[in-house]
Amino acid sequence: MNKQLSPAQVDELKKLCLQMRIDIVKMIHAAKSGHPGGNLSAVEIMAVLYKHCMKHSPLWDKAPDFEQRDRFVLSKGHASAALYSILAHCGYLPEEELMTFRKLGTRLQGHPSCLHLPGIEVSTGSLGQGISIACGIAMGLKLDKNPASVYVYMGDGELQEGSVWEAFMNAAHRKLNNMIVFIDRNKLQIDGCTDDVMSVEPLNEKMEAFGWNVIEIDGHNVEEIYEAVMSAKTMDTPTAVIADTIKGKGVSYMENNVGWHGKAPNDEEFQKAMSELNSCKQ
């Protein structure tokens, strides 16, 4: 891998991220349910990982090097719309299938299910469990001398759960440097501001005290995301990337508004969001 993204790659990623945001809003509006805020804050990280960092294939278990794939664990399972969007843009499913999101009989369930869709490593949605699952995967890869990496995407609200910190402690003790965890630090959760519900600060110092390499970035800057992964791959400890993000990023009335944690836009709100996002194409 190159140490930096080229200007052409940055431009391509920005266009992809805009399309992913359009996908997400369309999917949630069509389903009349979902979590727009936390999906919109996840876009750049997923786009960079799937397009430039992770080894993976839309052939999934039919790929000849399937066992050497990098693993992605969406601990924040309600960010499934963003995951389905990037999987569609990587060829795992037809883009038109995105509009079946959360509908009866769909493969695109509200929280990802590994029993329904290629590209999903584990079924997630019960917050606080993804990092523990990822530890088990990373340990297994180490025991098998498999060079694959494990990427975890988790929300900052999950950090209020004790099992998360047990997993952090375990990963450092086992020297699982094949694990890179992205923490979506959008500072909001369903009940309000994370610092009001239960503060997790000083997060960077806590993670370092638990034996982790810590990198702090702008979670919407594709270059910083990519460079964080390149740096993490040189470490002999697990890495936590604390990504400063905006919940609802890209839709003005959703940004930093906790009310958009888990509700769909109505028709008028949908048209306003589409107008804003489509104007960015100009």
Side-chain angles (χ1 to χ4, degrees):
M1 291 185 187
N2 296 324
K3 290 185 178 180
Q4 292 182 318
L5 295 170
S6 70
Q9 289 172 324
V10 171
D11 185 59
E12 181 183 348
L13 279 166
K14 288 180 178 179
K15 291 177 181 177
L16 172 61
C17 290
L18 176 57
Q19 185 56 53
M20 287 176 65
R21 288 195 161 90
I22 291 171
D23 291 344
I24 289 165
V25 175
K26 283 184 175 180
M27 292 162 68
I28 293 173
H29 173 257
K32 294 183 171 53
S33 68
H35 300 79
N39 275 277
L40 292 169
S41 66
V43 166
E44 281 80 7
I45 293 170
M46 291 194 195
V48 173
L49 290 182
Y50 273 89
K51 286 295 185 179
H52 293 286
C53 299
M54 290 171 50
K55 180 180 180 181
H56 66 101
S57 169
L59 295 176
W60 196 232
D61 56 355
K62 303 299 188 297
D65 56 352
F66 178 65
E67 291 303 326
Q68 280 68 53
R69 75 194 182 283
D70 289 331
R71 276 69 165 173
F72 179 79
V73 177
L74 181 64
S75 185
K76 194 177 89 170
H78 56 276
S80 57
L83 178 56
Y84 297 147
S85 175
I86 189 60
L87 288 177
H89 289 288
C90 289
Y92 284 83
L93 65 148
E95 290 182 31
E96 55 267 25
E97 189 177 350
L98 293 175
M99 292 302 102
T100 70
F101 177 62
R102 281 181 169 246
K103 294 183 179 178
L104 186 64
T106 184
R107 297 193 296 172
L108 311 186
Q109 303 202 1
H111 292 80
S113 167
C114 62
L115 301 178
H116 292 81
L117 187 69
I120 305 298
E121 288 291 342
V122 293
S123 301
T124 54
S126 184
L127 297 176
Q129 296 185 358
I131 183 68
S132 295
I133 296 169
C135 278
I137 296 172
M139 288 176 64
L141 292 172
K142 286 276 190 183
L143 290 170
D144 288 342
K145 296 182 170 50
N146 187 325
S149 297
V150 182
Y151 295 85
V152 184
Y153 183 90
M154 63 187 302
D156 49 2
E158 292 184 80
L159 298 173
Q160 297 162 349
E161 302 199 29
S163 60
V164 166
W165 294 94
E166 292 179 41
F168 287 154
M169 186 165 52
N170 176 63
H173 179 73
R174 303 292 179 187
K175 301 188 185 306
L176 300 180
N177 64 330
N178 57 343
M179 181 188 296
I180 302 174
V181 175
F182 279 85
I183 298 172
D184 183 351
R185 189 74 177 102
N186 63 35
K187 305 179 183 66
L188 293 173
Q189 60 191 104
I190 192 169
D191 290 327
C193 298
T194 53
D195 287 345
D196 293 336
V197 177
M198 184 182 293
S199 178
V200 297
E201 296 297 344
L203 182 55
N204 57 346
E205 294 176 21
K206 288 178 180 177
M207 294 299 302
E208 288 173 351
F210 270 65
W212 283 61
N213 172 50
V214 179
I215 302 172
E216 297 184 74
I217 65 167
D218 174 352
H220 300 303
N221 185 309
V222 295
E223 294 165 288
E224 289 187 23
I225 295 166
Y226 181 80
E227 289 165 14
V229 173
M230 295 303 101
S231 175
K233 285 184 171 293
T234 68
M235 298 296 163
D236 59 4
T237 61
T239 293
V241 182
I242 302 174
D244 185 23
T245 63
I246 296 172
K247 194 155 190 165
K249 174 70 172 177
V251 179
S252 62
Y253 62 86
M254 292 185 184
E255 289 190 355
N256 289 318
N257 185 336
V258 72
W260 289 100
H261 174 87
K263 71 173 181 177
N266 61 30
D267 290 347
E268 181 180 349
E269 292 161 339
F270 171 72
Q271 291 302 329
K272 183 178 180 181
M274 286 297 99
S275 177
E276 290 184 8
L277 291 168
N278 283 317
S279 70
C280 296
K281 291 183 176 181
Q282 307 302 321

